[in-house]
């Protein structure tokens, strides 16, 4: 059989050849993280995921070779199939940047911003997403919606305030555990992830909902407040398990295994789900065959112990950040509108110097 | 009185029964279609008629039908959308309860045209009594041999099922409706695939509004060309308008498309004018989702032409100075109505009804509602107005289903056309929040 004809897609000016049926987002990932749209709900291993958070919106400026018309609206790249000759703008399109900025704002208005006490901080996709695509300020003055914390089973805690309703855990519960007791109740911003009538999840694979959660809404109770993520070091390890693949990351603090998680790829996706025995019960080094330190991207918080300036993609972020740190807030200042003008001002240059100093000090 | 296609026999006593309906020419379209026409011929007539979907979007019905995929060995479905929950819209409800057999006849003809053998009428869950009326009518039609196996001896089988809705506005969105019909949570699906390819139970499906389907018997009886001759331009046929608000005669009207808006509001044949001693301030012409227009723009387009009750004329000028025919929910407001309060009210509705899947709609609808609530209660500030515009813009077009747009448009348009009233609320909160306070924009009242 012939290999399928590849199609050509151009994303932010860079070309890639992919098999037909590939989504724009997957094509962008093949080029690399510089052009890959952020994804807060799409999760490749979970069927049907994606399309909800709208973080991955992109502009299609040419539909295909055959039909070069642009698409009228921004499209969710995680669920939109690439066409031959398609031209996509991601970080290079101001409309996309603005819409994504909006998505960050929307996701944060009801978020408690309790990163200092959240176990997910440091490996939280919402933190990364907001840091890379958002503004340092909020325009939201209203009350945030709140929920009570809830234990689902003795090992997992649901912190609904932090949830961004990506539905990943719902798909996980649906697709890899056999008795589904986990879903979404109510509507709109009152929607709640819930186990049916507070029925505890007890299932050998239920712990995976923790790994797929992009934020700190589902956390591991056995790891609760044990450490900040960046003070622990991940190690690849495996064991013979009769239920799952047994391939995991052990998270060490000193000599102690404080947490066991499934291994994740570059995009934060679990490819082999693990069972609860491996996750919750095997916390001795002796339980495992150690393979070596996990490869962690240099830019990541875990490796650097902080967010570095190298992760900032958005122009103007530093300016706003510095402005809000060093100056009283002036609402009339047209940050977005006249960036060019501002950039030429003395004011800006002074700010940029301070900005530089701020980051190099850290 | 203009020509009536749907409501001609509406006043006949007992029209809800099979017998009376039949006596007035009912079910002749079924006989004609099943005995004398091939399914494709029926589709062709509907195409020729130019009838456009009456559920809100106005998509040509014949074209939608011709997109239906027809793979071998896979069932096809017709689903009638009777969820009608848009504020200001109450025409389908009226039609189903007064003349249920018209819809059933339309369902039979349409199902035949599409090759469906099991069809569904999804009725808003709150309307249990209407569901009973429909079920009774279906039983009558079945007893008379117009439903079930081998209809009229033609070999065509059709089962018609009435399904009570899930009690949510969002279940009126066609893909949410299909999810709900499948017994799931009514979340809209990502498109593509469209229902015409993968709809109910992953099979090709057509979803049409009650009024759209109710037009098909007339089209079969009189031909598509005759239908296309009614109305104006690409707005063919008649349309049910459910009128409410500060007019003398609110109610459901069947109008020939193309009637001038001015005539519709002021003539005694229709709404009879604004209630005595008051003035027209604003109109929401097609259900709560469409942009609100001030009096001078609803009566005349920006070019000074008379505005007509048609798809094209109402949308003349785009969103800058126009609106949409939408579902035909015509809400008239006089000068005592506060546009700001009304916008808050609409916002409350969309906040309440967002399914919560996509972040812009889930979070944005709540945000807009809260800001509007603050303004209405005298706690707004000048920045809030621009904030609302910006939030609405960031929702619009960025969501899975059009509910996000529907939530953004009323807010955007109210500020576009009534900004001075919003400013009055934030600058003079004591005055604006006084009971019975009325803002008088001198130049736009008619
Ligand atoms: C939030 C939302 C609610 C809707 N509610 C209804 C409804 O109650 N009734 C209806 O016929 N169409 C409704 N629609 C439109 C349907 O999605 C669909 O376009 C329509 O049923 C198609 O029928 P038509 O082509 O005959 O108009 C709604 C759409 C949206 C986005
Ligand atoms: S736009 Fe609103 S109602 Fe529609 S799918 Fe998104 S969240 Fe649900
Ligand atoms: S990742 Fe595409 S919409 Fe969430």
């Amino acid at each position: 059989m012939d290999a399928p004809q590849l199609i050509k897609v151009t994303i932010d000016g860079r070309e890639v050849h992919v098999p037909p049926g590939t989504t724009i987002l997957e094509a962008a990932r093949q080029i690399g993280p510089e052009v890959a749209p952020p994804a807060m709900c799409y999760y490749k291993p979970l069927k049907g995921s994606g399309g909800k958070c709208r973080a991955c919106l992109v502009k299609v400026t040419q539909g295909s070779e055959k039909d070069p018309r642009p698409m009228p609206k921004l499209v969710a790249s995680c669920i939109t199939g690439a066409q031959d000759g398609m031209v996509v703008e991601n970080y290079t399109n101001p409309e996309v940047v603005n819409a994504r900025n909006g998505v960050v704002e929307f996701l944060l208005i009801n978020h408690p911003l309790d990163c200092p006490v959240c176990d997910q901080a440091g490996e939280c996709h919402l933190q990364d997403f907001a840091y890379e695509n958002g503004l340092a300020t909020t325009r939201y003055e209203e009350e945030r919606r709140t929920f009570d914390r809830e234990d689902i089973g003795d090992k997992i805690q649901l912190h609904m305030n932090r949830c961004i309703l990506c539905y990943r855990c719902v798909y996980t519960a649906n697709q890899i555990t056999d008795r589904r007791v986990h879903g979404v109740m109510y509507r709109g911003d009152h929607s709640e992830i819930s186990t049916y009538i507070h029925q505890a999840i007890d299932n050998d694979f239920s712990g995976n909902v923790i790994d797929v959660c992009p934020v700190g809404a589902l956390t591991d109770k056995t790891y609760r407040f044990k450490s900040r993520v960046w003070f622990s070091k991940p190690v690849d390890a495996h064991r013979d398990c009769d239920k799952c693949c047994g391939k995991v990351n052990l998270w060490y603090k000193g000599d102690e295994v404080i947490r066991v998680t499934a291994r994740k790829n570059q995009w934060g996706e679990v490819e082999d789900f693990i069972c609860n025995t491996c996750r919750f019960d095997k916390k001795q080094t002796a339980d495992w065959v150690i393979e070596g330190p996990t490869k962690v991207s240099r830019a990541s918080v875990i490796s650097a112990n902080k967010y570095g300036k190298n992760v900032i993609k958005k122009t103007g972020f530093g300016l706003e950040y510095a402005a809000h740190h060093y100056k009283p807030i002036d609402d009339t200042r047209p940050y977005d509108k006249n960036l060019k003008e501002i950039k030429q001002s003395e004011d800006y240059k002074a700010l940029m110097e301070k900005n530089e100093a701020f980051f190099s000090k850290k | 009185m203009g020509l009536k296609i749907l409501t001609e026999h509406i006043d006949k006593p007992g029209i809800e029964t099979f017998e009376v309906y039949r006596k007035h020419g009912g079910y002749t379209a079924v006989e004609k279609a099943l005995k004398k026409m091939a399914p494709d011929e029926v589709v062709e007539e509907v195409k020729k008629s130019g009838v456009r979907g009456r559920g809100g979007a106005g998509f040509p019905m014949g074209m939608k039908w011709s997109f239906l995929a027809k793979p071998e060995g896979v069932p096809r479905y017709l689903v009638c959308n009777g969820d009608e929950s848009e504020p200001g819209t109450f025409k389908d409800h009226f039609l189903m309860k007064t003349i249920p057999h018209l819809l059933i006849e339309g369902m039979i003809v349409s199902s035949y045209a599409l090759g469906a053998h099991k069809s569904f009428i999804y009725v808003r869950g709150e309307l249990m009594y209407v569901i009973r009326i429909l079920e009774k009518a279906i039983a009558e039609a079945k007893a008379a041999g117009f439903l079930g196996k081998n209809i009229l001896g033609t070999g065509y089988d059709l089962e018609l099922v009435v399904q009570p809705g899930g009690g949510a506005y969002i279940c009126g969105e066609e893909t949410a409706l299909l999810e709900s019909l499948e017994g799931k949570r009514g979340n809209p699906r990502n498109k593509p695939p469209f229902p015409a390819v993968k709809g109910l139970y992953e099979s090709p499906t057509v979803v049409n509004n009650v009024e759209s389907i109710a037009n098909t018997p007339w089209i079969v009886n009189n031909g598509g060309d005759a239908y296309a001759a009614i109305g104006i331009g690409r707005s063919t046929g008649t349309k049910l308008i459910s009128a409410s608000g500060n007019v003398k005669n609110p109610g459901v009207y069947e109008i020939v498309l193309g009637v001038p808006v001015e005539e519709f509001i002021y003539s005694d044949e229709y709404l009879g004018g604004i209630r005595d001693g008051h003035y027209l301030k604003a109109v929401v012409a097609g259900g709560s989702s469409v942009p609100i227009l001030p009096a001078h723009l609803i009566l005349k387009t920006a070019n000074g032409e008379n505005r007509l009750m048609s798809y094209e004329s109402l949308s003349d000028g785009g969103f800058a100075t126009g609106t949409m025919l939408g579902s035909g929910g015509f809400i008239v407001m006089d000068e005592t109505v506060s546009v700001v309060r009304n916008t808050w009210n609409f916002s409350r509705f969309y906040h309440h009804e967002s399914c919560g899947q996509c972040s812009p709609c889930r979070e944005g609808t709540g945000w807009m509602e809260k800001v509007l609530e603050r303004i209405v209660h005298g706690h707004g500030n000048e920045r809030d107005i621009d904030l609302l515009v910006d939030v609405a813009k960031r929702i619009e077009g960025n969501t899975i289903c059009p509910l996000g747009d529907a939530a953004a448009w009323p807010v955007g348009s109210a500020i576009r056309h009534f900004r001075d009233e919003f400013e009055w609320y934030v600058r003079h909160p004591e005055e604006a929040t006084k009971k019975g306070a009325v803002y008088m924009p001198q130049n736009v009242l008619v």
Side-chain angles (χ1 to χ4, degrees):
Chain A
M1 218 178 80
D2 291 340
Q5 196 82 44
L6 295 186
I7 59 173
K8 185 183 90 180
V9 193
T10 312
I11 302 166
D12 277 354
R14 291 173 61 179
E15 275 177 24
V16 64
H17 294 262
V18 293
T22 309
T23 59
I24 298 174
L25 184 125
E26 284 297 335
R29 282 184 175 182
Q30 292 197 13
I31 300 177
E34 327 77 78
V35 297
M40 297 299 294
C41 68
Y42 170 76
Y43 207 70
K44 195 176 178 191
L46 298 172
K47 232 177 75 198
S49 67
K52 301 192 193 312
C53 71
R54 318 308 281 181
C56 67
L57 289 172
V58 294
K59 178 84 191 169
V60 175
T61 52
Q62 175 174 324
S64 69
E65 195 68 58
K66 275 197 221 113
D67 182 2
R69 283 177 303 172
M71 294 193 181
K73 293 187 199 171
L74 302 182
V75 297
S77 59
C78 66
I79 49 163
T80 307
Q83 306 290 332
D84 196 20
M86 188 182 255
V87 179
V88 179
E89 289 180 0
N90 183 24
Y91 285 105
T92 50
N93 186 303
E95 200 188 331
V96 172
V97 171
N98 180 42
R100 208 168 274 163
N101 198 225
V103 174
V104 173
E105 191 173 30
F106 286 135
L107 287 178
L108 290 182
I109 61 173
N110 275 313
H111 191 81
L113 303 172
D114 57 348
C115 313
V117 294
C118 176
D119 279 338
Q120 187 90 3
E123 55 179 13
C124 172
H125 288 222
L126 185 57
Q127 272 184 327
D128 297 348
F129 178 51
Y131 203 79
E132 289 168 18
N133 299 281
L135 293 177
T137 52
T138 178
R139 299 182 289 175
Y140 191 69
E141 299 171 18
E142 329 302 321
E143 215 166 291
R144 285 161 207 268
R145 59 138 171 68
T146 51
F147 300 89
D148 289 334
R149 249 173 309 182
E150 201 183 316
D151 285 336
I152 44 182
D154 58 343
K155 302 279 180 15
I156 306 171
Q157 187 166 69
L158 170 64
H159 214 310
M160 191 57 215
N161 288 347
R162 297 174 183 156
C163 175
I164 59 162
L165 288 162
C166 66
Y167 280 64
R168 283 181 187 173
C169 61
V170 177
Y171 291 114
T172 307
N174 246 347
Q175 290 170 24
I176 69 166
T177 66
D178 25 290
R179 272 188 310 122
R180 177 180 191 240
V181 286
H182 183 114
V184 174
M185 309 235 285
Y186 311 116
R187 259 200 321 251
D189 59 7
H190 331 282
S191 299
E192 262 182 73
I193 298 295
S194 187
T195 50
Y196 187 61
I197 326 234
H198 305 267
Q199 193 175 347
I201 294 190
D202 80 39
N203 178 296
D204 275 344
F205 282 83
S206 63
N208 289 297
V209 298
I210 300 167
D211 281 345
V212 300
C213 182
V215 295
L218 289 164
T219 48
D220 181 344
K221 280 176 71 185
T222 66
Y223 171 64
R224 191 138 198 257
F225 299 152
K226 284 261 171 78
S227 169
R228 310 290 2 204
V229 166
W230 54 89
F231 293 140
S232 58
K233 291 292 169 229
V235 167
D236 286 354
H238 66 264
R239 63 183 274 272
D240 258 340
C241 178
D242 52 2
K243 292 188 208 137
C244 70
C245 64
K247 289 186 196 143
V248 301
N249 283 147
L250 303 179
W251 295 77
Y252 277 94
K253 189 174 187 181
D255 297 338
E256 195 192 346
V257 178
I258 54 172
R259 180 166 71 136
V260 182
T261 66
R263 292 187 198 171
K264 293 186 178 180
N265 66 12
Q266 179 186 7
W267 314 107
E269 291 167 349
V270 170
E271 260 143 18
D272 272 325
F273 291 103
I274 61 169
C275 70
N276 286 1
T277 313
C278 288
R279 181 186 304 273
F280 297 124
D281 302 336
K282 302 288 173 193
K283 296 218 173 152
Q284 305 298 326
T285 304
D287 294 330
W288 298 95
V289 181
I290 308 288
E291 299 168 16
T294 306
K295 281 208 185 73
V296 181
S297 150
R298 288 271 217 101
S300 94
V301 184
I302 295 169
S303 133
N305 276 8
K306 64 170 195 293
Y307 279 99
K309 66 175 168 179
N310 51 342
V311 297
I312 299 169
K313 286 196 186 116
K314 203 176 147 287
T315 41
F317 178 90
L319 168 67
E320 284 156 39
Y321 191 77
H324 285 289
H325 268 259
Y326 297 105
K327 280 197 137 187
I329 299 168
D330 173 4
D331 275 317
T332 56
R333 236 183 116 134
Y335 294 119
D336 291 333
K337 285 178 212 141
N338 302 328
L339 208 58
K340 246 192 205 147
E341 241 177 80
I342 294 172
K343 275 188 171 173
Q344 278 149 11
S345 68
E346 287 304 311
D347 216 21
Y348 173 82
K349 283 176 197 153
L351 278 174
M352 283 316 277
E353 272 164 32
K354 274 190 182 168
N355 189 12
E356 277 299 310
F358 174 82
F359 281 115
S360 53
K361 206 165 57 215
K362 279 234 154 177
Chain B
M1 279 262 169
L3 173 85
K4 301 272 182 283
I5 288 178
L6 305 169
T7 57
E8 190 187 346
H9 302 297
I10 212 99
D11 301 329
K12 309 278 172 356
I15 193 70
E16 72 281 359
T17 62
F18 177 82
E19 215 187 334
V20 178
Y21 179 75
R22 181 86 170 122
K23 210 162 68 199
H24 288 98
Y27 288 100
T28 46
V30 175
E31 290 171 320
K32 180 170 176 193
L34 267 56
K35 289 188 177 157
K36 299 201 191 110
M37 293 166 82
D40 283 347
E41 286 171 334
V42 181
V43 175
E44 200 48 43
E45 289 306 317
V46 171
K47 252 189 184 164
K48 269 197 254 168
S49 76
V51 59
R52 293 165 68 167
R54 305 298 197 218
F59 192 80
M61 194 167 166
M63 206 187 306
K64 187 187 267 187
W65 285 16
S66 59
F67 287 156
L68 186 70
K70 297 186 172 159
E72 279 300 312
V74 179
R76 279 166 249 150
Y77 295 107
L78 171 66
V79 179
C80 172
N81 189 344
D83 193 53
E84 196 174 58
S85 321
E86 175 117 339
T89 312
F90 42 88
K91 60 182 180 79
D92 298 342
H93 177 179
F94 168 78
L95 205 62
M96 289 189 287
K97 78 170 179 191
T98 41
I99 183 160
H101 284 284
L102 179 65
L103 176 62
I104 292 163
E105 185 176 5
M107 286 299 284
I108 301 170
V109 182
S110 308
S111 303
Y112 172 74
L114 297 167
H117 296 286
K118 187 163 186 177
S119 297
F120 299 84
I121 308 178
Y122 186 95
V123 182
R124 176 174 180 165
E126 287 89 336
L127 305 181
M128 272 323 285
Y129 83 103
V130 175
I131 291 168
R132 285 192 203 103
I133 292 174
L134 283 170
E135 278 174 344
K136 187 156 164 263
I138 287 173
E140 286 175 338
K142 199 163 185 175
F146 285 94
L147 276 172
K149 291 254 176 273
N150 193 14
I151 296 171
L152 304 177
T154 59
Y156 176 64
D157 307 334
L158 176 66
E159 192 187 341
L160 204 51
V161 180
V162 183
Q163 170 67 37
Y169 172 58
I170 193 57
C171 290
E173 197 280 336
E174 53 188 8
T175 55
L177 185 153
L178 297 176
E179 287 282 298
S180 169
L181 200 50
E182 288 178 9
K184 304 185 198 140
R185 180 185 162 89
N187 276 0
R189 297 175 183 165
N190 281 308
K191 281 152 275 186
F194 289 94
V197 178
K198 259 191 189 179
L200 189 63
Y201 305 114
E202 306 232 318
S203 304
T205 304
V206 163
V207 182
N208 269 133
N209 173 258
V210 170
E211 188 190 342
S212 313
I213 290 174
N215 273 304
T216 53
W218 196 95
I219 295 172
V220 166
N221 281 330
N222 300 279
D225 289 331
Y227 192 92
I230 307 165
I232 181 167
R234 294 203 300 117
S235 302
T236 60
T238 63
K239 174 93 186 80
L240 291 179
I241 304 289
S242 46
S244 59
N246 309 128
V247 289
K248 288 204 186 122
N249 313 316
V252 178
Y253 292 86
E254 181 171 8
I255 60 160
V256 173
L257 285 166
V259 173
V261 175
E262 190 164 359
E263 181 184 338
F264 183 64
I265 297 178
Y266 291 101
S267 111
D268 287 334
E269 191 183 330
Y270 301 111
L271 307 188
I274 309 301
R275 60 184 178 145
D276 282 335
H278 293 277
Y279 305 94
L280 175 62
K281 176 179 183 181
V283 171
V284 175
S288 60
S289 311
V290 310
I292 187 172
L293 285 185
H296 64 288
L297 281 176
I298 188 72
L299 297 178
K300 293 217 185 311
T301 67
N303 306 331
E305 286 161 28
N306 276 339
R307 190 124 17 220
L308 312 178
M309 298 290 285
S310 75
Y311 291 95
E312 290 80 19
S313 180
L314 280 170
S315 55
D316 185 280
F319 276 8
T321 58
T323 178
M324 283 161 73
L325 180 59
S327 60
F330 198 85
I331 310 170
V332 182
M333 301 172 201
D334 69 17
E335 84 289 350
T336 61
V337 176
S338 158
V339 168
V340 180
R341 280 192 85 87
N342 183 67
T343 310
W344 172 44
N345 194 27
F346 282 172
S347 261
R348 245 176 12 177
F349 174 77
Y350 290 108
H351 177 204
H352 189 261
E353 298 298 332
S354 162
C355 84
Q357 276 189 101
C358 29
S359 13
C361 170
R362 178 184 65 236
E363 306 294 346
T365 51
W367 192 358
M368 291 195 301
E369 192 222 313
K370 286 175 189 166
V371 173
L372 280 161
E373 180 176 8
R374 236 179 342 100
I375 296 177
V376 163
H377 290 98
H379 303 292
N381 62 46
E382 207 106 352
R383 262 175 320 178
D384 287 337
I385 302 174
D386 287 327
L387 175 67
L388 283 171
V389 174
D390 197 50
V391 172
K393 252 195 230 143
R394 281 175 160 187
I395 301 174
E396 190 184 335
N398 291 341
T399 53
I400 296 176
C401 88
L403 190 139
D405 302 337
W409 292 340
V411 175
S413 60
I415 297 179
R416 187 154 56 241
H417 299 301
F418 297 91
R419 195 178 178 104
D420 47 352
E421 192 170 335
F422 282 84
E423 285 169 353
W424 180 62
Y425 264 85
V426 300
R427 287 180 194 159
H428 308 284
E430 305 85 33
E431 206 183 312
T433 52
K434 240 186 252 149
K435 202 168 172 350
V438 176
Y439 179 71
M440 281 287 186
Q442 293 310 325
N443 50 351
V444 297
L445 294 181
V446 173

